[in-house]
Amino acid sequence: QYVRCFASHFVLSWLECSRSKQLFSSKPSGRMFGHEFMFSKSLVSKGFGDFAVHKVAVGGKKIEEFMKPSESASGTYWSKILNTIHGKIENGDTWAGIVWHQGSQNSWDDSYKEYGKNLDTLMSELRLEMCEADAGCSDHLQIPIIVVQNGFWPQNFSADVIREAQEAFAMNDPRAALVRTKDLGRFF
């Protein structure tokens, strides 16, 4: 059994695939990868499975740009996320979880005040879409989520509020976990 993973910005979602031909490889693909590459490599080294990483990422974006379009959210990248969710299911894959790492861009203006609510909304919307797309999914609330907390940078009040919101999400959701990164230093 193979495992594929998909990253949209820093949304990283695992798929279980029975007919995947592309395996995780340490060979360069010509695409830029960040920490999700090492995350995938670590899982492979622990025997979790083989990975192919599909990254649809745009740095420096606010959470509202990944949400379903509304009066308070531009939803610029929502359709790309939906295309990936539904496209993978059409290929016979199934969704198994989400890893989310984003938030520093929201710390530079008043959007930090709504970050916790927006994180709750976005994760709920992603779970629903993933479960609706996958006939084998019976309960969207069972889809696990890993939130990678903002690290050392930026250091300001609003960034602390975002880190607290990320921690609160993981603490209040029984299928969520938090990965702290603040101890890694400012150059990580």
Side-chain angles (χ1 to χ4, degrees):
Q1 184 176 27
Y2 300 104
V3 178
R4 295 178 153 266
C5 85
F6 155 72
S8 174
H9 191 56
F10 294 105
V11 178
L12 185 64
S13 304
W14 298 294
L15 303 144
E16 295 178 39
C17 315
S18 59
R19 56 189 189 83
S20 171
K21 300 290 185 212
Q22 181 162 354
L23 306 178
F24 174 79
S25 170
S26 60
K27 295 178 184 176
S29 66
R31 296 189 178 129
M32 292 182 59
F33 289 93
H35 54 280
E36 70 281 352
F37 180 78
M38 291 309 297
F39 173 75
S40 299
K41 194 168 183 170
S42 296
L43 289 176
V44 169
S45 73
K46 304 260 189 242
F48 192 81
D50 295 317
F51 279 78
V53 177
H54 304 275
K55 184 174 180 178
V56 180
V58 181
K61 301 301 177 196
K62 296 179 182 178
I63 194 170
E64 296 83 3
E65 296 179 71
F66 297 94
M67 297 174 67
K68 190 181 292 186
S70 68
E71 286 183 24
S72 61
S74 70
T76 305
Y77 301 101
W78 179 250
S79 64
K80 289 183 181 183
I81 293 171
L82 288 183
N83 289 340
T84 301
I85 289 172
H86 294 279
K88 297 303 171 195
I89 295 300
E90 289 168 8
N91 290 333
D93 301 333
T94 60
W95 290 104
I98 301 167
V99 177
W100 178 257
H101 184 195
Q102 182 278 336
S104 61
Q105 196 63 32
N106 288 91
S107 70
W108 301 113
D109 62 22
D110 283 346
S111 66
Y112 79 92
K113 295 175 183 176
E114 300 296 318
Y115 189 86
K117 178 180 71 90
N118 287 339
L119 182 61
D120 289 343
T121 300
L122 177 59
M123 293 302 113
S124 177
E125 290 171 345
L126 288 175
R127 279 176 162 160
L128 283 169
E129 287 292 335
M130 291 165 72
C131 197
E132 286 176 9
D134 182 357
C137 179
S138 60
D139 183 0
H140 72 283
L141 295 175
Q142 295 303 307
I143 297 172
I145 297 173
I146 297 173
V147 176
V148 181
Q149 192 176 37
N150 280 1
F152 180 85
W153 181 87
Q155 288 191 0
N156 57 31
F157 172 77
S158 53
D160 289 338
V161 171
I162 290 169
R163 283 188 276 273
E164 290 168 8
Q166 292 167 333
E167 185 168 356
F169 175 85
M171 296 293 289
N172 294 323
D173 187 310
R175 298 287 291 161
L178 182 74
V179 176
R180 290 182 175 87
T181 62
K182 193 169 183 176
D183 61 336
L184 295 176
R186 67 184 211 188
F187 297 111
F188 179 76

